[in-house]
Amino acid sequence: MSILKDFVKLICGNFDNSEQLKELNNKNIFDYPYAEHVNNICNDKIVNLPADFEGIFIVEESYYTINGKTRNLHHLFLFVQENEDVKLISYEIPEPYNKSNFIYDNIEKLDYHNLKVSEKFEPAIYKFKNGVWEGGSVSMFSPTTKFKLFEKFSEEKLEVSEIMESNGKKTFGYDIPIIYKKIV
């Protein structure tokens, strides 16, 4: 369990890519988003967890701002330890919330028995290599829509690459991974 707690400690808090954005702008790259991640453990907001439950639920609030417009994408993830690795399982946003208003501070109590694992998202497996956690997954959201996730987590940064493709063409994501640094 200490592996899982150490992993979750790395990814929880408030992060942004403002440092990366300055570097990109200095290279005349301006079509890249300002991105924020706010990750909070939310087991305290979930009732009816099994007595022997060892997983850690996290609310991930993601904000992407480009050309003055902000897009919110929030998620509920469960992290579990599997031997020396950590597995991320995505859950559907529980009613009455949606991907925009599912914010840690807004959440009342959630019932564990009503939470549903996402059928579309292939769980991601993270392995510890040379001081860095890395892993990801490839999910088919439909026969023509593919989501590719690859991440690296360390004390210094969270490196996130998310690409959505429809019929083989990128519809969301960036060729350069987003580099988040902890701000709180």
Side-chain angles (χ1 to χ4, degrees):
M1 184 74 164
S2 69
I3 289 173
L4 180 60
K5 287 181 180 178
D6 290 345
F7 178 90
V8 167
K9 185 178 175 184
L10 277 180
I11 65 169
C12 281
N14 294 16
F15 302 84
D16 74 13
N17 72 330
S18 56
E19 190 175 308
Q20 177 189 32
L21 207 53
K22 286 177 191 171
E23 291 174 14
L24 292 171
N25 288 344
N26 287 338
K27 296 176 182 175
N28 294 318
I29 299 172
F30 299 105
D31 60 343
Y32 203 76
Y34 169 68
E36 298 174 88
H37 258 357
V38 180
N39 296 331
N40 287 293
I41 296 172
C42 66
N43 286 33
D44 61 320
K45 297 197 179 228
I46 302 173
V47 296
N48 297 319
L49 284 172
D52 60 349
F53 189 78
E54 293 185 359
I56 299 175
F57 279 99
I58 291 181
V59 173
E60 178 188 88
E61 303 168 31
S62 298
Y63 305 90
Y64 303 94
T65 303
I66 194 162
N67 298 327
K69 290 187 174 188
T70 300
R71 180 177 178 193
N72 303 342
L73 290 173
H74 305 315
H75 301 280
L76 177 62
F77 295 128
L78 172 62
F79 291 87
V80 295
Q81 185 172 328
E82 291 190 343
N83 299 313
E84 301 297 310
D85 301 333
V86 174
K87 182 178 186 179
L88 176 157
I89 302 163
S90 182
Y91 277 70
E92 299 295 333
I93 299 295
E95 290 183 8
Y97 305 100
N98 59 47
K99 288 191 181 278
S100 293
N101 68 10
F102 190 66
I103 297 169
Y104 179 82
D105 290 338
N106 290 349
I107 298 170
E108 299 294 326
K109 292 293 180 189
L110 304 173
D111 189 328
Y112 175 76
H113 300 296
N114 294 333
L115 299 178
K116 295 181 178 101
V117 173
S118 170
E119 294 180 13
K120 296 178 184 177
F121 184 84
E122 184 67 31
I125 303 294
Y126 298 88
K127 296 182 178 295
F128 192 70
K129 299 177 187 174
N130 302 319
V132 176
W133 284 96
E134 63 178 60
S137 67
V138 176
S139 303
M140 292 304 295
F141 286 3
S142 77
T144 59
T145 304
K146 181 188 289 187
F147 177 70
K148 298 188 284 188
L149 172 69
F150 183 75
E151 300 176 301
K152 292 182 182 181
F153 304 141
S154 68
E155 291 283 342
E156 297 80 40
K157 62 187 175 183
L158 308 181
E159 186 174 326
V160 179
S161 176
E162 299 172 303
I163 304 283
M164 184 79 73
E165 296 175 352
S166 182
N167 294 315
K169 293 184 181 181
K170 183 170 45 173
T171 59
F172 175 79
Y174 301 91
D175 294 330
I176 303 168
I178 295 176
I179 308 296
Y180 294 95
K181 299 234 174 145
K182 193 171 270 194
I183 54 175
V184 177

